Amino acid sequence: MAKSPDSVLSCLDMNGEPLADGVLWYAFRQLLGNNGYVHLVGVPESFDHVAFLKELGEFQPTSTGTLVGDVKPERGMDDVNHGQNRGALTPHTEGYEFHGLPPRYLALWCVTPPSGPGGETTLFDGDRILAEFTEDERRHLRDTVYRWGSTEGLARHGVTPTAEHPVLEEHKDEPILRFSTNYLTVPESDETARRLIDRGNVLFAEQHIAVRYQARDMVVWNNWRMLHSRNAFEDPSRHLKRVLIAA
């Protein structure tokens, strides 16, 4: 069952005036560190999403090379699993199918919210999944290298990346969780990895939060920690911008 976001930050103070940059950044970093994500609301028209996000790090190219990408429905893609359609997405982290470190942060901001139901970005804290696994099981997920594939939608554009990574990794003492419902190849005998996927999907379905967008709203999350997904929607005018931010 979806829950309302509990890590929400308004860009405006109680008088309706924009927060000072220092105050906004302090509150933003506190919420991001504590909760793994921030839903930024009350975003004024003058707000520069790109400039704000560049304070977190360098932008990382998407699978098609763009640094600031558009997330909106493409024609002819509704029959496959793809971020550029109107269908629901399954829980995952971003960047598991590419070599090297996955993006540290992901950000989406709303250009045009959908009319009607659906279209929410959904999030769940992967730390809560890992809490159900023993240290021996986590060591297995760190020591085993798995094959990761990619979506049918990207394949239609001629992009078919694959990579090999463990599920769990560390970078400069920061833990990294990779998760995919559909594109992690799990050997038949690997009960730990299978349980991670199955239990992750159950917990996500039961406890995820759902971000409903207003124009200019932005959600930023720690991609090394948080799983994300999307609810299906009908309105083809839904339009978000997306940025991947490197470690």
Side-chain angles (χ1 to χ4, degrees):
M1 179 178 179
K3 299 180 179 180
S4 298
D6 57 2
S7 189
V8 181
L9 175 61
S10 175
C11 291
L12 305 177
D13 65 18
M14 65 183 66
N15 294 317
E17 296 295 326
L19 289 177
D21 288 348
V23 175
L24 182 64
W25 263 110
Y26 176 79
F28 178 87
R29 289 188 182 277
Q30 288 288 108
L31 290 173
L32 186 61
N34 291 339
N35 302 321
Y37 79 99
V38 182
H39 179 197
L40 210 61
V41 301
V43 180
E45 291 186 16
S46 60
F47 187 82
D48 189 333
H49 296 79
V50 169
F52 183 89
L53 293 169
K54 282 186 175 178
E55 295 294 323
L56 285 177
E58 293 293 322
F59 290 2
Q60 186 170 327
T62 66
S63 56
T64 57
T66 57
L67 291 178
V68 180
D70 291 293
V71 181
K72 53 185 179 181
E74 291 181 31
R75 290 183 180 178
M77 286 290 185
D78 280 348
D79 63 321
V80 294
N81 187 33
H82 188 45
Q84 305 288 81
N85 65 17
R86 294 177 293 175
L89 299 178
T90 54
H92 62 286
T93 60
E94 202 74 20
Y96 50 75
E97 72 272 47
F98 294 97
H99 302 296
L101 294 173
R104 181 72 169 85
Y105 301 107
L106 253 70
L108 295 169
W109 68 91
C110 182
V111 178
T112 305
S115 62
E120 299 88 356
T121 293
T122 52
L123 297 162
F124 182 71
D125 192 344
D127 287 351
R128 297 169 69 178
I129 304 170
L130 294 175
E132 299 193 358
F133 287 74
T134 67
E135 181 52 41
D136 284 345
E137 289 172 325
R138 294 189 197 188
R139 185 178 300 110
H140 172 79
L141 296 171
R142 286 193 295 266
D143 293 345
T144 306
V145 175
Y146 298 91
R147 184 180 183 276
W148 304 78
S150 190
T151 69
E152 298 90 336
L154 284 179
R156 286 191 180 177
H157 290 297
V159 181
T160 55
T162 61
E164 294 186 348
H165 304 284
V167 167
L168 297 180
E169 191 176 353
E170 284 197 359
H171 177 69
K172 298 182 179 178
D173 296 325
E174 287 283 338
I176 298 171
L177 168 65
R178 294 182 176 90
F179 188 94
S180 172
T181 301
N182 300 324
Y183 303 107
L184 167 60
T185 301
V186 179
E188 267 188 42
S189 60
D190 196 331
E191 296 180 2
T192 301
R194 175 51 53 193
R195 186 162 68 87
L196 177 82
I197 295 171
D198 292 344
R199 191 61 184 148
N201 282 323
V202 168
L203 290 172
F204 194 101
E206 292 176 347
Q207 302 178 31
H208 67 267
I209 64 100
V211 174
R212 179 73 179 174
Y213 292 99
Q214 301 292 326
R216 298 184 300 280
D217 277 9
M218 181 165 68
V219 60
V220 183
W221 67 91
N222 179 349
N223 182 56
W224 293 358
R225 172 180 170 182
M226 304 293 292
L227 278 59
H228 69 281
S229 184
R230 180 187 69 210
N231 292 334
F233 60 97
E234 291 296 329
D235 183 4
S237 66
R238 178 185 185 268
H239 182 192
L240 307 180
K241 291 284 189 178
R242 185 178 76 152
V243 165
L244 312 179
I245 301 172

